[in-house]
Amino acid sequence: MEKKTGLIQFLSEWKCVDDQPDHNRRLHYSRFALSPLLVDQAMTIGVAIRRALLSEVEGISIISANIVGAVHEYSTLDGVRESVDEILLNLKQIVIKGAKGASITPLDHKEYRASIFAQGPGVVTAEHIKFPSSILAVDPDQSIATLLNETQLCIELFIRQGIAKQLTRTKKNHQGFFIDANFTPVQKANFSIHSVGDPKGLQQLLLLEIWTNKTLTPAEALYQAHASLLNLFHQISPPLLHKELSPSKNILNQNSDSNSLGGSSFGRVVSLETRRDSTQTNNSSIPKEIQPSVRLKSYTDTNLSIDKQMNDSVNKENLSIDELELSPRISNCLKKANINTIADLLNYTQEDLLKIKNFGRKSVEQVSLVLRKRFNMELLPTK
Amino acid sequence: MEMNMFILPDFLQIQIESFRRFLHNCIFEELSKFPIIYDSNQGIEFKLIPEKYLLTEPLFTEREAVYKFTTYSSDLYVPIQLTLTKEKKSRIQTVCLGSLPLMTPQGTFVINGVSWTIVNQILRNPGIYYVLNRNGMYTATILCLDVDKRLRLEIDKKGRLSVRINNRHKIPLVFLLIALGLDINDIPDWLQSRTKKLEDLLSGLKNEGERTLELIALYKQLPGPKKVKPKANPLIISEQIQQWCAQVYKLGTSGRLNLNRRLNLNFSKSNDSLLPQDLIAAAELLVKMSLLHPGPKGGKDSSDDIDHLKNKHVISVAEMLRKQLSLCLIDLQIQVRRAIRRGISSKRILSPRSMMISRPLTQMFNQFFGSHELIQFLDQTNPLAEMAHKRKLSLLGPGGLTRRTASFRTRDIHPSHYGRICTIETSEGMNAGVIPSLSICARVDSEGVIENPLHKIGGNIKEQYTVYVRAGRDERLKIGTNNCLAIGQKGQERSTSTQYQQEFVSMSWDQINLRSILPIQYFAIGASLIPFLEHNDATRTLMGSSMQRQAVPLVKPEKSIVGTGIEAHISLDSGTVLISLKDGKIKYVDGKQIVLVDKDNVQQKFNLITYERSNNGTCIHQRPTVKIGFSVRKGQLLADGSATVGGELALGKNVLVAYMPWEGYNFEDAVLISDRLVNEDIYTSIHIQRYEISVQENIEGFDIITREIPHVDKYLLRHLDYRGIIKIGAWVEPGDVLVGKLAPLEAPHLLRSPEGKLLQAIFGVQAITTRESCLKLPAGGTGRVIDVRWIEQQGPSGVSSLHVYILQKRKIQVGDKVAGRHGNKGVVSRILPREDMPYMQDGTPIDMVLSPLGVPSRMNVGQLFECLLGLAGSYLNNHYRIMPFDERFEREASRKLVFSELYKARKFTGYPWLFEPNSPGKSSLFDGRTGEIFEQSITVGKAYMMKLIHMVDEKIHARSSGPYALVTQQPLRGRSNKGGQRVGEMEVWAFEGFGAAYMLQEILTIKSDHVKGRSQVRGAIVAKESIPKPIDPPDCFRLLIRELRCLGIEIKHTIISEKNFFLDQKPI
């Protein structure tokens, strides 16, 4: 596992510092270190990785169960100590992992089937689940139900992979009883930043602690988090700067913050703090700024609140001419001529405007100046 | 009345003891009062044999009664002896008097399948009370057994005495005495001289005619409905008055004792009605008092304290039922007398059974349980609610106060309440103070006096024991209050605060004879569950205790880390858990039953309650806690109920809270939660809803339950079985048909309908048409059908009904109310993913973010102690049970404890941030979104938070169109009938203020009561036309006009033409 962060001249590398696989039956703890990093890079990576670890790492869980003999979830079975609902809650807790050698690739949304056939007396545990060869239970002692005498318990299980964000809450299209599974293999993640190296403090060390429920090892989780982050950034990477988009270069420089994480050539211009500040100011000042819709579209995925801006730019032409902040005389003239929106205004040529009463060449110049400056639009001189 | 060791009393004692007393004593006593009815004409003697009364064993258990929707009751049989004296024949027959609802072991009554509880009433004792009135004059009120009837002796500024009957009629005292049969010469002179217009009165009384008239007037003024008309004979009327007074002004034993004590009389207990001598003595004392202390300023106030508990008594189940029984036996007497008379005329042979046509008891008790004010629908939200409801006391009810008239003084706490009635737990709002609760240690004796246990201190430990002290008796005693224990304070003065004569004084331990047993002795069960209660403001503690009663049982309950130690007592006594009745061995355990074998090899089966509905829609479910082969002792826990874990009350969950602002999402007590609480079912609760439909017979025929419902979408009928009833286990959504029912259509209606006419024209037969009247699932009812029950109603009505039970699992969501135990309540404002939540230094995200501004002004600091100790406990795997008022051991004991535990946790885990000496109890948090440290260190801890029954699912509501009220044509009110939101006067001002004229018009016309307009609007919307403007006035205007017409005012709309004065009238 390695990560190349943009412009850094030297290679930084993840190192596993501490690994406690048997911290607990269902807890695997590891600590990783990443160094050396430039000042403030550690924060960028740490936050991103922690958030990705917590939200985007895939888990594998039982999503529904078919219990033979149970009419509904809230019934009890003869000879079984737990009610059906309690069994389902126990099944929800079962931690599953991929078997050694079997590859469970991320985003492989295959549905697995498993089953339990057990006869009492005794406690049915995760050990009694018959899994397909590619998966197995992490903790075979996790109890599911307690059977008495010769009671038989047959459960059919449906298992799937998923991530926390795609919780399937629809109860339809499921065989058996629905278990709203938790796909969160990473229990906890934490990072800390330490300065290392020479006293000038130019280098940082990122320590990352990960606790997983053993569905994945922390190293695998880290890999997945990486992969999903890379995937994300890859998807949203801005198109290379082409000639026809040249005006946008200007804008890009102004708002370079929004894609500095994208690793483009404008990357490390702005430091992390200013980035945050500027996003905030950016948000508030956006309606006044012109953003060509082509560029904006590529940003809509980044979860920055740009949807609103886009709508604004689409509606820009519906803006009132008051937005141009023209002098009262000019705007009154325009309104008298029934030019109320910018769209109306664009229907007119400069020549047409001159025909309006009390509207001289100077006024036309002013209007076209403002249009060019604020909205990057031009009035045609003549038809 | 002494014990060596003090054990907390059974919390249900107040109900169960009382009912036991009713069964064992009261029934016998009332039956013995039944007179021997003797008819001398026929020589018939009718006699009850009360010693041999029988109560049948109930036909089914209380749980079966709930299930079958019937009453848990037993029949009362009494043997009756009927003797024909002429023939010297006697016959004994056992007769059923009717059924008597029985109390369940949980202290409730099951009436028609629903649990009810009888709230104990507090009433004033009968007797005489001297009170200073507003004018600074003393008055003496004589309260009688029947509380409505009271006499008041008054003295005016000139020292003249008069009597006020029922707060209304005022007559001279001398006159009343004469009317009661005293001769004028028997009345002492001082009393005569203190009479207004004595001469007139005396001269009037000498004249026989006038005297009669006066007496008749007085007789009429006496309270109560009189059956006997006054006779115009002075002697007879005087006798009538005496009889009536003896009947109405009954004092009872306690009233007689009170009067004897207060007035220094000694009449025997049997003289239980008001005597003229009492009045004279009372007047004498009244005169003395007003002479000694004229006016309120004069000296020590020797008036009685009517709010003192010694002047009050508790009316419990026994007394209430006893009263009903006695009424019922009076009815029976009349019935028997009538039957004997009838029997004589019809010359039939009489038998006791034939004399009793109806069962008086059944009817009387049905009526009593259906209408009495203090019989309340049991609050079953959780075990605590159930218990607290049964321990409530009420000043309201028949003979008591009313909500509006209760003064502040009666609502306030009184020194005599200490240890008997909780000083904090009462309801908020209108009922504040009039519905208090019984303190945990207090008990009610058979006379209805509340007693408080105290510990007797002697020099020798063997001489120390517990005594129960009645209200009023403890005032002369010096009671140490345990405020400060003299531990390790040898050199210093061993003094403590002491309760003495309604005051708290400081006294040294040597002078003290008694001490209180528990520091939480003063509180009711709800309040005593609050840890660190002493750090909270009383108002917030009140809220905390009342909100615990609203906590919803959760799917996976959890014990609190920090508690007070009485959790187990409450859940064990509440009856929601299953307890072994004898020693034995567990032979079988599954989800439905537990079988116990005792040493004599006798099996005992315990059936568990699985997913039953409580009165409040929460789920009652028992989970076994024992395993096969376990040996259990009597009283040991066999199964947990809902909201208990290991026999301890578990109303909420321990969650990680932080007190910090977060982007304004915890403004105004809102609460921000992590999605962990949603995904991991931390605050998931089960709710069971019951839907009913009755199957009736009317003139046209029976309702039919069928699967074949015409004109209903097949999809909505998909879950019905072949009978037309929903299948158990079906997942239903709003609109789905639960029971397919067709009701026969009325015949005249049929004839008028076109298809009916056609059928009759062609075939000459009447079409039998039916109307669809299915039970459909209303909005928000999505869930799983877990049970369908047929309930056959007994009796001639023949109405049977179908009940469908639908279970919902509700996760916590935005809008749900959550609360801690300290009155810190809030509404979930947002659910954040866990990566966005602030996190602690070990990476653990916070579960719940509370507002720090919720603490200072509310003064409930206990929540901070609780959450910090909880944090320490969660790291140390410790549970703490801390009796409140630990400050009595040393100063700042709570703080020291919390910090030392945090320090231990720090040492144990090696996390230095758990206890930072610079900011103890606080640590730095990181923002989950940016990874930055928050500017200030933040209090983080594990608090025990509950989800309350106020959930959005039951409150969320929107209306586009819906039903309208018939008269005003305005939308209905309330969510239950899909009502609208009222735009009231002030809302209209807002619209006016903003100049939103069109919107206002729209709201006041087409969105409200403009009948024509609103139908046009619908058309316009469908046709995508512009919305028409209403022209004519809305319906409320028409209503106004009509109401004016009723008053005889005609309003017309007339236009007079300017040219030819032509009148153009329009009807309105």
Side-chain angles (χ1 to χ4, degrees), chain B residues 393-688:
Chain B
L393 302 167
S394 175
L395 298 178
L396 304 173
L401 306 167
T402 51
R403 282 185 194 98
R404 262 174 286 150
T405 56
S407 66
F408 281 108
R409 256 189 87 182
T410 48
R411 290 163 188 260
D412 205 355
I413 52 170
H414 188 272
S416 63
H417 284 7
Y418 278 96
R420 300 191 176 86
I421 287 177
C422 181
T423 47
I424 41 184
E425 197 168 322
T426 176
S427 41
E428 282 180 271
M430 277 229 298
N431 286 339
V434 283
I435 304 194
S437 307
L438 198 67
S439 300
I440 51 165
C441 297
R443 72 175 191 195
V444 177
D445 72 359
S446 58
E447 285 163 49
V449 182
I450 309 178
E451 295 177 324
N452 175 24
L454 290 171
H455 200 78
K456 180 102 180 130
I457 306 177
N460 192 343
I461 293 177
K462 278 182 188 167
E463 285 166 26
Q464 302 190 349
Y465 51 88
T466 307
V467 283
Y468 275 91
V469 186
R470 305 177 110 195
R473 294 267 171 83
D474 53 358
E475 269 164 25
R476 275 157 287 152
L477 305 170
K478 294 159 191 157
I479 304 162
T481 51
N482 275 352
N483 264 355
C484 170
L485 297 181
I487 293 171
Q489 297 182 14
K490 267 185 186 164
Q492 294 160 30
E493 198 184 351
R494 286 163 46 98
S495 74
T496 182
S497 116
T498 308
Q499 205 179 321
Y500 181 56
Q501 288 186 340
Q502 305 203 352
E503 302 270 344
F504 281 103
V505 290
S506 193
M507 231 175 244
S508 94
W509 276 107
D510 317 329
Q511 293 173 289
I512 292 169
N513 354 59
L514 293 162
R515 67 169 172 82
S516 56
I517 289 170
L518 287 172
I520 51 168
Q521 199 174 353
Y522 309 120
F523 305 119
I525 46 171
S528 47
L529 280 174
I530 304 172
F532 298 111
L533 157 100
E534 69 274 24
H535 300 279
N536 289 347
D537 184 39
T539 0
R540 286 287 148 176
T541 317
L542 185 154
M543 290 185 196
S545 58
S546 64
M547 280 186 304
Q548 284 183 84
R549 286 185 261 139
Q550 300 167 8
V552 182
L554 303 171
V555 173
K556 286 186 274 182
E558 193 180 67
K559 280 187 214 177
S560 61
I561 294 178
V562 184
T564 57
I566 66 156
E567 286 87 355
H569 279 274
I570 289 171
S571 69
L572 288 180
D573 287 350
S574 73
T576 51
V577 295
L578 199 63
I579 288 166
S580 168
L581 299 179
K582 41 184 152 173
D583 295 359
K585 223 171 181 183
I586 303 294
K587 198 188 165 204
Y588 181 84
V589 190
D590 75 0
K592 283 175 204 155
Q593 63 173 356
I594 296 174
V595 181
L596 184 84
V597 183
D598 65 4
K599 56 177 185 288
D600 305 327
N601 243 349
V602 182
Q603 284 196 4
Q604 193 176 14
K605 258 188 204 172
F606 295 91
N607 286 322
L608 300 177
I609 305 176
T610 55
Y611 299 103
E612 290 278 331
R613 179 177 185 272
S614 76
N615 273 351
N616 294 62
T618 54
C619 169
I620 304 177
H621 179 68
Q622 289 180 331
R623 301 177 306 275
T625 52
V626 286
K627 287 180 182 161
I628 287 186
F630 273 29
S631 300
V632 289
R633 303 294 299 273
K634 183 181 169 188
Q636 195 178 329
L637 184 76
L638 294 181
D640 266 324
S642 51
T644 66
V645 174
E648 271 191 59
L649 198 65
L651 299 170
K653 283 273 191 179
N654 298 299
V655 290
L656 195 63
V657 300
Y659 288 89
M660 60 179 290
W662 200 92
E663 303 278 322
Y665 276 102
N666 44 19
F667 177 63
E668 288 282 359
D669 282 346
V671 166
L672 190 76
I673 60 167
S674 154
D675 65 352
R676 188 180 85 91
L677 304 187
V678 181
N679 296 338
E680 293 182 14
D681 285 333
I682 307 262
Y683 284 110
T684 301
S685 54
I686 289 179
H687 299 266
I688 301 173

Side-chain angles (χ1 to χ4, degrees), chain A residues 43 47 50-51 53-55 71-83 85-86 89 92-93 148-149 165 167 169 171-172 177 180 182 184-191 209 211 273 276, chain B residues 555-556 588-592 610-611 621 623-628 678-681 686 715 728-729 731 733 784-786 807 809 811 834-836 839-845 928-932:
Chain A
M43 185 71 126
V47 173
R50 177 175 183 271
R51 292 176 58 85
L53 276 169
L54 287 175
S55 62
V71 187
H72 52 81
E73 291 103 317
Y74 310 100
S75 54
T76 46
L77 301 171
D78 285 325
V80 182
R81 186 187 162 91
E82 287 83 3
S83 74
D85 193 44
E86 281 158 4
L89 284 175
K92 185 179 171 180
Q93 308 276 322
L148 297 156
N149 306 342
K165 279 181 182 168
L167 285 182
R169 293 245 181 267
K171 307 217 168 187
K172 288 175 190 170
F177 305 124
D180 53 348
N182 267 338
T184 46
V186 179
Q187 307 271 295
K188 221 157 75 167
N190 194 18
F191 71 91
E209 296 173 285
W211 289 260
E273 273 68 30
R276 211 165 294 117
Chain B
V555 173
K556 286 186 274 182
Y588 181 84
V589 190
D590 75 0
K592 283 175 204 155
T610 55
Y611 299 103
H621 179 68
R623 301 177 306 275
T625 52
V626 286
K627 287 180 182 161
I628 287 186
V678 181
N679 296 338
E680 293 182 14
D681 285 333
I686 289 179
Y715 178 76
I728 290 178
W731 178 258
E733 271 155 13
R784 183 79 71 188
V785 178
I786 56 159
L807 184 144
K809 225 176 190 184
K811 299 196 162 214
R834 56 188 183 144
E835 65 268 22
D836 283 354
Y839 61 95
M840 297 203 294
Q841 292 180 36
D842 65 346
T844 320
R929 299 163 301 169
T930 60
E932 283 181 330

